[in-house]
Amino acid sequence: DDSSFKNDLTLRKFVLNSTSALKSKLCNATIDDNCQYENSVTLDDTINCTATECDADTLRVVQVNDGIHYEFVRPPCVEQVFYANAKKVIYKERWADSSCANPLLPYASEACCEGQQDTSAERSTDYLYDQERVLYSTAGLRCEAMGMGSCDFNLIEGIDSYKKGYHWTTDSCNIQVKVNDIGQVALVYKPESYEILHPHVRNDNRNFFKVYWDGDYPKNNDDVTIGNSCGNSTCQSLVTGGCLCDTTITETRVFKEMPSSVEEVLSKLTIGAYDTAAYGEGTYAEAITANGVTAYMTISTGAFDTKTVFEVTDEIGRLHRFKNTKERVRIPGAIEYAFRNAPSFMSVLNTEADARDAYYETEAALDHYFHHDNTAPFIAFRLIQRFTTSNPKPRYVKAVATAFRTGSYDGIGSTEYGDLAATIAAVLLHPEARSVNLDADPFKGNLREPLLRMMALMRGMELQQADQWPVVKMNDLDNKIGQMAHSFPTVFSFMLPEYAPGGRPGDATLVGPETMIMDMPKVVGLLNGMFSLVKYGLSRCHGGFGTEWSRCNEGDFSSATAHLSFSRPFDGATTTVEDHAEDVVSELSTLLTSGRLGAENKQLIKEAYIAKLNDTAAVDPAGSALRFAQQLMLTSPEYHTTNIVHKTGSLREQPEPPQASGTPYKAIVYVMFGGGCDSFNMLVPHTCTGEKDMYNDEYFEIRQEIALEKDSLKVLNGTISNQVCETFGVHPRLESVQQLFNDGDLLFFANTGVLTKETDKENYWRDTETQLFAHNFMQMAAQRIDPLKAEDGTGILGRIRDVLTKQGMSVGAFSLDVNSISLIGEPGVTESPMILSNSGVARFNEVPSSADMDDAIASLNGETEAESGVFAEWYSDVLLKSLSHNQLLYETLAEKTTEVLFPTSHLGRQLGMVAKMIDSRNERGTDADVFFLSTGGWDTHSALLANQENLFANVDASFKAFADEMNAKNVWDNVTLIETSDFARTLTQNGGLGSDHAWGGNYIMMGGSVKGGQIVGTYPDAIKDGSPLNIGRGRLIPTTSWEAVFLPLAEWVGVGVDEKTLNYICPNRHNFPESHFSGMSRGDLFEPA
């Protein structure tokens, strides 16, 4: 209500009568008849009305006593979007706003005139409270009582403006639908006469929503390949696209007799009903029950009709009430076009839409997801992965899902749906989780999460805080080990549940989510941090996890903020060295590996312990021996995985350093703008001398408040003859990108994205295999470029690397800070890609506790038998390769510097590290490298323009520094950087001055060999709603595929051009006609070699 209500002494309130049962309920009087007002009162039963309460169609705020008011908050309720006999309502006065309203709902007040020609109206003097809403019929009765009638008025006299709202008129209202090319509809109101309509109900309404058509729907011939003239001209063909249709509503009975089952009711009825107890006595007859269904028929008919209410309880205990009716919205003159009437929580009338209903709608959506059939197995699988095994058997998942649905497992739980006590009990108590025999299965178990490995050490070895440090504080764990509580790198948490590693798990088609964040920097970071904790306590010494420095003397914990207090002193008077060592190592095995430590590894650690214990030169031999044994245990596969290990007794072969073949060096640098870059603000039409002014008529028209000003654009030089405009501009913060384009070192790919095949608005949803508009799926698609999964589990850079390796080249694969599917190749062809930190390479175990410690670690992680756990085998293989690579890279990169100062941003630091890696190519013995980088912040659902100022400024500075450094090192001609993103964003703005997930976008490729100064592909010549590529809200269907982009890049880096090779690089390429690749050859995009 208007703020003026607060101080208005003339305000008419609804005051409850002294005899009111409602007043009594709200008063909640004590035995002394004193009211005890509660903040919230729920009416559980029907209360009889008293006095004027019986005259009110609805209540809003009631006064119980002086200064005591309660607001009525109605329970969740939906209304049908389409309805019959709509009436026009006017907001305050004719020239303000008109709309349509359902006469059966209390949404407006009366407006009474002396005659139909009278344009000045009055409110009834008997209205009950200011801002009261009544039914259309009540409004008419009130006017009749005044000797007047409802009317189509201009203004209402005798009442303050702020007390007016919507008022009923006698005019009818036509409710129409605008149908787009894919069958979505938008609401259009057509009152008999009006001055102003809100945009969300006008002809140009773009708020389309999905409806369920019974069959076909009206199609504009200009929108689709095969149209039907907008329902054989029963609807109006709009020049802006779509069809505008009148509507009628039909209501029909569904059941004429008792349904046969609960399932039949749930499958056929969709319209909810009130509890029949809410109706007055004499409305509904006694219930009849059969087949698990309860029916309430009206007393007046005693038959199954549209007013009959059915009650059923579903299999998870939810009570449902349905009306025995179905409503269809039909197109007059073409009744074959019909769809189910849509429900809506939010009223179309502005005054009736509030936060309460938005909350109800959100709750309903969450409730729908929570009770969805897929929710229980989804949660079951995820919880099992986190607690016990990465690849549970179907019966295990079923048992946990059943516990979630029934709320019970082996007597544990409340028997309510979603009970987590029952769910976790099933996860932990199921035979697959507890069976010792099943533990021997090499495919069972998982790699433990790095944070859990660290916590297991602290808990098992009894971490004790220093007195002055009551809270344990750790530093930079997300970067050092890849995980920290409440520090998720993305909305998808730390790892993807479906991530499949290479090696034996990959060969067995197993997933291993935790393997996604185990790479060389994080292997080293975790071990260095745990070694530091063992030797120095919690501190920053030699890669420690602490926030403070200590003395960094092994065994001296005096300045540490916490330390591991577990100790086992040796007393030679009571035990032998052999027995003491056996006891200590056995206890460590129990505490740190749950007793999984194999006999061979146990003996190795025991011998190392004895050697340290016998070191008479040590100040504390037992303490030194314990710390050494702890460190060795922390490198064992039994500690890092939940597998049983069977060793062959042989050491693993040391990885051979790569040797270059002599082929001229090439590098691909793949940069992902994670989150979805709004790239139609990166590349913008500027000057067009043809029939259409693309900037004003298309770009600015659809972008509105999120459009860039034309004068602010950085204009690209030269005439671009192959596009809709001769001149384009880039974002004003992309000055260096502009210069690189003008210098001929950078090009743009226009309207590019994931495609399974060329498609159009009518067929894209059936032609496209990828789940559109979702971050994870579309990022994966841009990195895999294999929509039909012909080479499932591999990525585009990984397949390029496979081919080059088979051609005899030495090819490095590096991801900066995060793993990427783009780098994964066919198992067994190449080594796993390496993940580097953007800050460089930390040296492993800089101050070892023993000179032969590396040999001991190699022995603990020796070769394994075929029946050994696959995750333990994967860990040991990755560990030793990581330590070997760490040593090589540390020694190499320590000597490398850059000529150019790179930005300190995440992207700048990543590109700086790539530059150093390229500079180390000779030392690494590599012919080619593929790099994957990702920079976030592009998910601009709000404040788009402000966010892009910073984002593009960072990109521009980082790209410039990289290009300058490559030129300074004389390798610019040997490097190509390509930028992609999940998707582009909607051309239309959202309510937060941002844009949402879309599809086709514009992307950058640059390098010394790139034929820059051109825009490749086709920039759309129409982007507004109704245009051939716009599927709604400015989501454009791409016209250039990722295949067309990456095939010439693969040829540039050196892959063969035979059919077999190209089919492996891009397995989906034959789904496109030859014309799709026109102008996209290696010769079109790159300078001659």
Side-chain angles (χ1 to χ4, degrees):
D1 292 324
D2 194 282
S3 59
S4 301
F5 276 34
K6 184 176 181 180
N7 301 312
D8 186 354
L9 299 180
T10 69
L11 189 68
R12 186 179 297 189
K13 303 178 180 180
F14 194 92
V15 182
L16 297 180
N17 188 284
S18 60
T19 62
S20 167
L22 176 59
K23 180 174 183 175
S24 176
K25 180 77 172 179
L26 297 175
C27 172
N28 189 28
T30 64
I31 193 171
D32 300 326
D33 207 29
N34 294 319
C35 290
Q36 299 181 106
Y37 298 113
E38 301 285 345
N39 286 336
S40 177
V41 178
T42 301
L43 303 180
D44 297 316
D45 303 304
T46 300
I47 296 177
N48 291 327
C49 59
T50 303
T52 54
E53 293 173 10
C54 303
D55 298 327
D57 288 337
T58 186
L59 293 177
R60 298 183 53 150
V61 175
V62 297
Q63 178 175 312
V64 184
N65 278 315
D66 288 342
I68 304 297
H69 300 82
Y70 278 89
E71 179 185 4
F72 172 59
V73 181
R74 65 168 174 78
C77 189
V78 299
E79 57 187 74
Q80 303 295 81
V81 173
F82 300 91
Y83 47 88
N85 304 314
K87 290 295 182 180
K88 183 180 78 175
V89 291
I90 296 176
Y91 186 67
K92 296 187 177 183
E93 52 199 20
R94 178 179 295 276
W95 42 88
D97 167 41
S98 296
S99 190
C100 299
N102 190 337
L104 302 179
L105 295 175
Y107 275 171
S109 304
E110 70 279 358
C112 308
C113 299
E114 295 285 353
Q116 285 299 315
Q117 304 303 316
D118 193 356
T119 58
S120 296
E122 304 174 26
R123 281 209 68 179
S124 167
T125 56
D126 295 328
Y127 73 87
L128 302 180
Y129 57 92
D130 282 317
Q131 286 288 344
E132 179 189 14
R133 277 80 153 167
V134 299
L135 304 175
Y136 178 74
S137 58
T138 302
L141 291 173
R142 287 187 179 179
C143 290
E144 288 179 16
M146 297 170 64
M148 305 172 76
S150 297
C151 59
D152 181 28
F153 62 92
N154 282 348
L155 55 87
I156 296 177
E157 297 180 333
I159 185 171
D160 293 321
S161 175
Y162 62 85
K163 294 182 179 179
K164 300 174 186 178
Y166 278 106
H167 295 262
W168 293 107
T169 74
T170 51
D171 276 8
S172 62
C173 220
N174 187 19
I175 299 180
Q176 298 178 304
V177 286
K178 189 163 63 170
V179 186
N180 68 13
D181 57 305
I182 58 174
Q184 295 174 331
V185 304
L187 195 62
V188 176
Y189 283 172
K190 286 291 181 65
E192 280 186 40
S193 62
Y194 61 90
E195 295 295 324
I196 295 176
L197 285 177
H198 271 286
H200 63 277
V201 292
R202 289 194 317 230
N203 262 358
D204 58 349
N205 179 13
R206 298 188 297 199
N207 295 303
F208 287 93
F209 56 93
K210 182 178 181 178
V211 295
Y212 295 90
W213 293 88
D214 292 345
D216 201 4
Y217 54 88
K219 300 172 186 174
N220 190 323
N221 292 350
D222 294 334
D223 294 346
V224 294
T225 305
I226 303 176
N228 53 33
S229 300
C230 282
N232 296 319
S233 300
T234 55
C235 302
Q236 177 187 349
S237 294
L238 300 174
V239 294
T240 56
C243 305
L244 183 63
C245 311
D246 290 333
T247 63
T248 59
I249 311 298
T250 61
E251 182 181 35
T252 56
R253 176 183 65 181
V254 178
F255 294 106
K256 62 180 181 181
E257 57 187 9
M258 202 67 176
S260 61
S261 65
V262 172
E263 290 71 26
E264 187 179 18
V265 172
L266 293 174
S267 65
K268 292 185 177 180
L269 297 181
T270 59
I271 300 178
Y274 288 114
D275 185 344
T276 55
Y279 295 88
E281 291 185 11
T283 303
Y284 280 92
E286 290 293 321
I288 57 173
T289 301
N291 309 321
V293 181
T294 299
Y296 296 88
M297 292 179 284
T298 57
I299 291 176
S300 60
T301 64
F304 289 96
D305 59 16
T306 57
K307 291 184 172 59
T308 301
V309 174
F310 290 107
E311 280 185 3
V312 295
T313 301
D314 64 22
E315 60 179 359
I316 57 176
R318 291 184 300 167
L319 178 66
H320 300 268
R321 296 188 181 94
F322 294 104
K323 290 175 65 177
N324 184 32
T325 184
K326 66 177 180 181
E327 286 189 7
R328 286 293 181 272
V329 180
R330 300 187 182 277
I331 310 301
I335 59 173
E336 67 272 20
Y337 300 126
F339 58 86
R340 195 181 98 195
N341 202 350
S344 174
F345 282 84
M346 304 289 289
S347 174
V348 176
L349 286 177
N350 296 338
T351 57
E352 306 309 303
D354 59 20
R356 169 202 64 198
D357 294 329
Y359 171 81
Y360 286 155
E361 185 166 7
T362 303
E363 282 292 305
L366 293 174
D367 187 68
H368 174 76
Y369 292 136
F370 181 58
H371 291 97
H372 194 280
D373 289 344
N374 290 344
T375 299
F378 177 88
I379 289 177
F381 194 89
R382 297 295 186 266
L383 289 177
I384 292 170
Q385 281 191 318
R386 298 276 61 77
F387 279 94
T388 59
T389 182
S390 294
N391 299 273
K393 302 288 194 299
R395 64 188 176 199
Y396 187 10
V397 177
K398 181 179 180 181
V400 177
T402 300
F404 183 88
R405 293 175 66 86
T406 62
S408 176
Y409 184 82
D410 200 20
I412 299 172
S414 63
T415 71
E416 293 184 5
Y417 178 90
D419 187 293
L420 287 181
T423 307
I424 296 300
V427 171
L428 299 178
L429 299 179
H430 188 271
E432 190 168 332
R434 294 172 57 82
S435 171
V436 176
N437 292 331
L438 287 176
D439 284 344
D441 182 349
F443 306 117
K444 184 176 178 289
N446 57 14
L447 178 72
R448 298 165 75 191
E449 296 178 43
L451 190 60
L452 295 184
R453 285 177 256 171
M454 189 190 73
M455 297 303 293
L457 170 64
M458 293 181 173
R459 186 173 184 179
M461 296 295 99
E462 302 169 9
L463 185 78
Q464 181 178 320
Q465 300 101 302
D467 291 340
Q468 67 272 30
W469 294 95
V471 176
V472 175
K473 293 184 178 180
M474 287 169 282
N475 181 52
D476 204 25
L477 284 188
D478 46 353
N479 285 323
K480 288 181 178 177
I481 71 173
Q483 199 174 30
M484 179 54 186
H486 316 299
S487 185
F488 302 115
T490 73
V491 294
F492 309 110
S493 190
F494 301 101
M495 59 204 80
L496 297 176
E498 66 272 14
Y499 182 78
R504 285 190 62 197
D507 294 344
T509 66
L510 300 178
V511 300
E514 298 82 2
T515 65
M516 183 175 175
I517 52 174
M518 183 173 162
D519 49 67
M520 185 270 285
K522 294 181 182 64
V523 166
V524 172
L526 178 62
L527 290 179
N528 278 349
M530 292 194 296
F531 285 4
S532 176
L533 183 60
V534 168
K535 294 191 289 185
Y536 314 114
L538 188 59
S539 72
R540 299 178 66 179
C541 290
H542 302 297
F545 298 140
T547 59
E548 306 295 324
W549 286 103
S550 71
R551 293 187 176 88
C552 299
N553 296 322
E554 183 173 338
D556 180 2
F557 308 129
S558 60
S559 58
T561 60
H563 73 282
L564 303 177
S565 64
F566 180 91
S567 66
R568 291 297 180 265
F570 171 62
D571 184 357
T574 60
T575 186
T576 65
V577 169
E578 180 76 21
D579 289 346
H580 173 73
E582 176 69 26
D583 291 343
V584 171
V585 175
S586 294
E587 188 173 7
L588 289 177
S589 172
T590 299
L591 294 173
L592 296 178
T593 72
S594 300
R596 287 187 298 272
L597 190 67
E600 302 95 327
N601 281 353
K602 183 176 180 181
Q603 182 62 31
L604 191 154
I605 295 173
K606 178 180 171 182
E607 291 172 359
Y609 183 90
I610 291 172
K612 281 286 187 180
L613 190 64
N614 289 331
D615 183 2
T616 56
V619 176
D620 176 18
S624 177
L626 176 62
R627 290 190 295 274
F628 191 43
Q630 287 171 328
Q631 292 176 77
L632 293 180
M633 190 84 70
L634 295 177
T635 68
S636 70
E638 294 94 335
Y639 177 74
H640 291 267
T641 72
T642 60
N643 280 164
I644 303 296
V645 179
H646 300 284
K647 298 174 67 176
T648 65
S650 300
L651 293 176
R652 294 176 187 270
E653 292 184 4
Q654 284 293 318
E656 290 290 333
Q659 298 293 323
S661 68
T663 303
Y665 177 79
K666 296 284 183 67
I668 297 174
V669 182
Y670 185 137
V671 180
M672 167 66 71
F673 287 179
C677 172
D678 193 318
S679 53
F680 281 90
N681 270 11
M682 180 169 72
L683 181 66
V684 182
H686 187 272
T687 303
C688 316
T689 59
E691 296 180 359
K692 183 183 294 183
D693 180 352
M694 277 293 295
Y695 178 85
N696 290 304
D697 295 347
E698 295 281 341
Y699 170 79
F700 192 83
E701 176 72 19
I702 192 169
R703 303 237 75 179
Q704 296 292 320
E705 292 180 81
I706 57 174
L708 297 172
E709 293 295 333
K710 188 174 184 179
D711 292 342
S712 73
L713 298 175
K714 296 292 182 183
V715 179
L716 302 177
N717 285 351
T719 298
I720 300 170
S721 60
N722 65 328
Q723 301 296 336
V724 62
C725 294
E726 294 85 354
T727 306
F728 283 76
V730 294
H731 191 279
R733 299 308 297 268
L734 294 176
E735 185 173 355
S736 298
V737 167
Q738 175 201 30
Q739 189 61 50
L740 286 164
F741 182 93
N742 293 343
D743 289 345
D745 287 344
L746 181 148
L747 61 75
F748 287 96
F749 294 106
N751 196 29
T752 299
V754 57
L755 286 170
T756 306
K757 60 194 297 188
E758 290 185 348
T759 189
D760 53 33
K761 290 169 69 172
E762 187 176 3
N763 299 295
Y764 77 90
W765 57 273
R766 64 170 64 92
D767 287 343
T768 307
E769 291 292 328
T770 305
Q771 182 174 322
L772 298 175
F773 318 127
H775 288 293
N776 53 340
F777 287 99
M778 293 191 75
Q779 276 195 24
M780 284 285 191
Q783 294 177 53
R784 285 175 170 161
I785 312 186
D786 181 19
L788 297 176
K789 300 182 179 179
E791 301 294 340
D792 197 17
T794 66
I796 181 63
L797 298 182
R799 294 195 298 275
I800 290 174
R801 184 186 181 209
D802 286 348
V803 170
L804 295 177
T805 300
K806 290 177 181 179
Q807 292 174 189
M809 295 172 63
S810 172
V811 187
F814 304 93
S815 184
L816 274 293
D817 296 320
V818 66
N819 217 326
S820 168
I821 186 65
S822 70
L823 296 169
I824 302 298
E826 182 182 346
V829 176
T830 55
E831 294 183 359
S832 298
M834 190 181 302
I835 300 185
L836 300 174
S837 165
N838 66 72
S839 59
V841 179
R843 188 173 190 177
F844 171 66
N845 201 16
E846 192 168 9
V847 185
S849 296
S850 171
D852 60 353
M853 194 168 179
D854 286 349
D855 294 337
I857 293 172
S859 296
L860 287 168
N861 291 277
E863 288 186 349
T864 59
E865 302 282 3
E867 66 270 19
S868 188
V870 297
F871 289 106
E873 161 62 25
W874 184 89
Y875 162 79
S876 292
D877 184 58
V878 170
L879 171 68
L880 296 186
K881 286 179 179 177
S882 294
L883 299 187
S884 175
H885 291 158
N886 172 261
Q887 182 177 355
L888 173 63
L889 283 175
Y890 180 82
E891 294 172 352
T892 301
L893 292 179
E895 302 174 358
K896 298 299 179 183
T897 59
T898 60
E899 301 291 333
V900 174
L901 182 64
F902 278 77
T904 58
S905 65
H906 185 236
L907 177 61
R909 294 196 305 270
Q910 289 184 96
L911 285 171
M913 180 50 59
V914 169
K916 290 181 179 180
M917 289 298 296
I918 291 173
D919 197 21
S920 71
R921 61 194 181 280
N922 293 329
E923 293 88 340
R924 293 185 290 110
T926 183
D927 297 305
D929 286 313
V930 288
F931 298 93
F932 178 85
L933 292 68
S934 180
T935 178
W938 299 93
D939 197 15
T940 49
H941 288 286
S942 61
L944 169 68
L945 294 180
N947 282 315
Q948 283 193 330
E949 282 285 308
N950 297 324
L951 290 166
F952 282 133
N954 173 37
V955 167
D956 196 64
S958 300
F959 281 11
K960 180 182 188 302
F962 183 70
D964 289 347
E965 177 68 17
M966 294 298 96
N967 273 307
K969 294 292 177 65
N970 296 315
V971 289
W972 184 226
D973 290 347
N974 305 87
V975 177
T976 296
L977 181 151
I978 184 165
E979 169 266 323
T980 75
S981 191
D982 324 16
F983 37 63
R985 307 189 74 82
T986 54
L987 295 171
T988 59
Q989 68 186 51
N990 59 26
L993 292 181
S995 54
D996 302 317
H997 303 179
W999 194 355
N1002 308 306
Y1003 302 101
I1004 289 172
M1005 187 167 75
M1006 68 182 200
S1009 294
V1010 172
K1011 277 188 178 178
Q1014 61 174 324
I1015 297 174
V1016 182
T1018 304
Y1019 197 97
D1021 60 2
I1023 58 177
K1024 292 190 298 186
D1025 285 340
S1027 64
L1029 297 176
N1030 187 336
I1031 60 175
R1033 294 202 57 219
R1035 291 185 172 103
L1036 300 184
I1037 299 171
T1039 48
T1040 298
S1041 66
W1042 291 128
E1043 284 83 353
V1045 169
F1046 277 88
L1047 276 171
L1049 180 59
E1051 292 182 37
W1052 170 81
V1053 81
V1055 303
V1057 295
D1058 58 283
E1059 285 291 302
K1060 183 178 179 181
T1061 296
L1062 297 181
N1063 290 341
Y1064 176 67
I1065 297 294
C1066 290
N1068 189 55
R1069 72 188 189 102
H1070 285 304
N1071 256 349
F1072 299 97
E1074 288 188 14
S1075 59
H1076 183 81
F1077 301 97
S1078 176
M1080 302 287 290
S1081 70
R1082 182 196 187 286
D1084 292 320
L1085 305 188
F1086 294 95
E1087 300 290 350

